[in-house]
């Protein structure tokens, strides 16, 4: 299933201002293993010893007609793929939108930010008046983490992002308001690999892209 540009844009704009912004949640101290410094900011590193191996970044076999460098998200199985050479991809575990907030379609990464500032939209603050007007980048309370990659369609900001998280346990779950969450280390890695203009496709399921009678042509093989 691939939505048209118009359907993608309408869906994105309907949640603009809320899809990219997610309420902060509490994470257990055991979710973190220590600290690291990135661009002058000290942040807590993920305790990958507590993370299921399937959510960890890894190279897998990937057969697709999409060009090398394209990012494909399988929302049902909570994986993001960066297509590489020789029928391979880097696979990242991700958190995706909760029921009622999922979206599908094509976009491009048209902007990127190191340690982005978080500004809850007015409608979210009405629902959660305890939220601040904004949280500066690098704050331990900023739910966007160390990186944000902004998804646009036809030059218009859809309101959706790829970004880090302050709740590592949310990876592999339907947890966001539409944005794609990543481990902070993975958000940093993807940010470095994806230049402005990177093509993105978000699917309900990776096999939905496969042509009839040839499901394997778009399947991912471990």
């Amino acid at each position: 299933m691939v939505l048209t540009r118009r359907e993608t844009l309408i869906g994105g704009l309907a949640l603009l201002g809320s899809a990219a912004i997610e309420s902060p949640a509490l994470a257990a101290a055991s979710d973190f293993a220590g600290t690291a410094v990135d661009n002058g900011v000290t942040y807590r590193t993920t305790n990958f010893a507590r993370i299921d191996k399937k959510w960890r970044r890894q190279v897998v076999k990937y057969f697709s007609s999409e060009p090398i460098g394209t990012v494909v998200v399988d929302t049902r199985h909570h994986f993001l793929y960066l297509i590489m050479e020789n029928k391979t991809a880097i696979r990242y575990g991700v958190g995706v939108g909760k029921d009622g907030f999922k979206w599908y379609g094509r976009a491009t990464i048209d902007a990127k930010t190191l340690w982005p500032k978080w500004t809850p939209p007015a409608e979210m603050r009405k629902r959660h008046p305890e939220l601040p007007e904004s949280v500066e980048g690098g704050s331990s309370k900023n739910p966007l983490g160390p990186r944000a990659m902004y998804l646009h369609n036809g030059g218009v900001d859809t309101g959706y992002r790829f970004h880090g998280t302050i709740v590592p346990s949310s990876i592999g779950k339907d947890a966001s308001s539409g944005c794609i969450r990543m481990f902070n280390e993975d958000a940093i890695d993807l940010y470095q690999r994806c230049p402005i203009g990177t093509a993105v496709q978000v699917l309900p399921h990776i096999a939905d892209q496969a042509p009839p009678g040839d499901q394997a042509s778009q399947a991912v093989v471990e």
Side-chain angles (χ1 to χ4, degrees):
M1 174 183 178
V2 180
L3 300 190
T4 65
R5 169 179 165 179
R6 176 178 173 78
E7 289 168 328
T8 303
L9 184 58
I10 290 174
L13 293 178
L15 293 174
L16 181 60
S18 62
I21 307 303
E22 300 150 23
S23 299
L26 298 176
S30 58
D31 287 343
F32 304 99
T35 61
V37 178
D38 172 79
N39 285 272
V41 177
T42 299
Y43 69 99
R44 294 186 293 178
T45 56
T46 304
N47 183 2
F48 284 103
R50 288 176 53 87
I51 302 298
D52 190 315
K53 290 182 179 180
K54 71 179 179 180
W55 304 128
R56 301 182 195 177
R57 183 169 74 242
Q58 55 195 283
V59 176
V60 298
K61 283 290 184 182
Y62 188 92
F63 301 90
S64 175
S65 58
E66 297 291 335
I68 292 172
T70 301
V71 172
V72 180
V73 181
D74 179 341
T75 58
R76 183 181 303 173
H77 295 106
H78 305 93
F79 291 126
L80 180 153
Y81 299 89
L82 175 60
I83 300 176
M84 306 293 284
E85 301 86 357
N86 302 317
K87 296 182 175 61
T88 63
I90 301 176
R91 190 183 76 185
Y92 306 81
V94 296
V96 303
K98 296 175 286 188
D99 287 343
F101 290 93
K102 291 183 175 66
W103 66 282
Y104 314 110
R106 291 186 180 271
T108 56
I109 296 174
D110 281 3
K112 307 195 303 182
T113 304
L114 298 169
W115 295 103
K117 182 178 180 179
W118 179 56
T119 304
E123 60 185 35
M124 176 175 280
R125 295 191 69 233
K126 286 181 180 179
R127 296 194 303 269
H128 301 282
E130 73 280 6
L131 292 176
E133 291 185 4
S134 65
V135 179
E136 292 301 317
S139 168
S140 61
K141 297 181 180 180
N142 187 320
L144 301 184
R147 301 289 189 274
M149 289 152 273
Y150 301 82
L151 304 183
H152 290 220
N153 182 286
V156 178
D157 187 350
T158 66
Y160 300 110
R161 286 86 173 93
F162 298 150
H163 62 74
T165 182
I166 56 176
V167 188
S169 61
S170 67
I171 301 303
K173 299 177 181 178
D174 297 350
S176 78
S177 296
C179 288
I180 306 300
R181 295 182 180 183
M182 309 180 74
F183 294 120
N184 288 335
E185 294 83 354
D186 287 352
I188 291 172
D189 184 80
L190 185 68
Y191 182 101
Q192 294 172 331
R193 296 178 186 274
C194 292
I196 297 297
T198 293
V200 173
Q201 185 174 26
V202 179
L203 298 169
H205 179 351
I206 208 75
D208 290 348
Q209 170 109 357
D214 188 17
Q215 297 293 313
S217 68
Q218 296 290 336
V220 175
V221 181
E222 297 294 343

